[in-house]
Amino acid sequence: MPTEREMMLAGELYDPLDPELVAGRERARDLIQALNASREADRAVRRQILKALLGSGAEDAWIQSPFYCDYGANLHVGRGCYFNFNCIVLDVCNVRIGDFCLFGPAVQIYTAMHPTEFLARRPDPYDPARVAKEFGKPVTIGNDVWVGGGAIICPGVTIGSRTIIGAGSVVTRNIPDDVFAAGNPCRVIRQLGQADSRPR
């Protein structure tokens, strides 16, 4: 029989109060508190914290504090990625980020979901066996993606390589490679080409 963690990662309904999951979140919060309290000059200390926190890719990821995530272990970051101040990643499912991606301040990446049927979201105080179930959908981001400040990436979304997401966008559906996309909901504005390599 699968564990609650295995069901969580598979995108199935799971119990978020499962002791293994509670311990995983508490571990992440302790590491995040240490990261956010560390000084910028303490590069070796910050690198060790990131290696303990992230699922993979901590060797050269640059994450400005404050930073927040649910588990960290489900966050997989490619080479040379940069997170500006105040980013949040709710990684109940895997978040896979390609190489050389840039995230502006206050970008939020969500994988966490709740059932649409309200009774499934409501625990029963008289029945300890009936807990509020949750589920998630993974997020995948390609290589060389730039996500503007304040953008929100919703559960289940895939963003293609070399794409730019405009600041403040709410990404509710997949976005292809090599486009500039923006808005709420986020939509493709135009294709990116060679001319975009020069300052405007």
Side-chain angles (χ1 to χ4, degrees):
M1 184 169 178
T3 66
E4 296 294 328
R5 181 177 180 276
E6 289 169 339
M7 290 192 290
M8 177 182 79
L9 290 172
E12 300 172 10
L13 287 171
Y14 71 93
D15 176 7
L17 300 181
D18 174 74
E20 180 186 11
L21 296 180
V22 171
R25 291 194 300 271
E26 289 176 350
R27 173 187 171 277
R29 278 152 182 67
D30 288 345
L31 289 167
I32 290 164
Q33 185 173 16
L35 179 70
N36 291 340
S38 65
R39 295 179 179 273
E40 194 76 12
D42 296 336
R43 289 183 173 84
V45 171
R46 292 175 64 83
R47 187 64 56 201
Q48 287 305 117
I49 295 169
L50 287 174
K51 286 180 178 179
L53 177 65
L54 301 185
S56 62
E59 290 76 13
D60 66 350
W62 192 268
I63 298 181
Q64 297 284 357
S65 297
F67 172 79
Y68 304 95
C69 64
D70 264 338
Y71 294 93
N74 304 323
L75 175 54
H76 303 277
V77 181
R79 294 176 299 143
C81 289
Y82 175 78
F83 289 80
N84 212 317
F85 303 104
N86 237 5
C87 289
I88 297 172
V89 181
L90 302 186
D91 60 325
V92 304
C93 278
N94 284 317
V95 174
R96 298 193 181 277
I97 297 170
D99 298 335
F100 306 110
C101 292
L102 305 174
F103 297 89
V107 168
Q108 300 175 53
I109 302 173
Y110 304 150
T111 66
M113 299 279 290
H114 300 276
T116 53
E117 206 284 310
F118 75 95
L119 286 175
R121 298 194 302 267
R122 182 192 296 175
D124 186 341
Y126 303 106
D127 181 3
R130 202 181 109 192
V131 298
K133 298 278 187 163
E134 299 177 2
F135 69 103
K137 295 181 180 180
V139 167
T140 303
I141 297 172
N143 297 322
D144 300 290
V145 172
W146 171 21
V147 181
I152 297 173
I153 300 171
C154 292
V157 162
T158 294
I159 297 175
S161 293
R162 299 169 301 279
T163 280
I164 298 171
I165 304 296
S169 297
V170 180
V171 187
T172 60
R173 55 182 171 258
N174 295 345
I175 304 293
D177 296 346
D178 299 301
V179 298
F180 170 68
N184 180 7
C186 187
R187 66 193 188 285
V188 174
I189 305 298
R190 64 181 179 86
Q191 289 290 129
L192 295 174
Q194 192 63 33
D196 293 291
S197 64
R198 297 188 295 273
R200 291 181 173 269

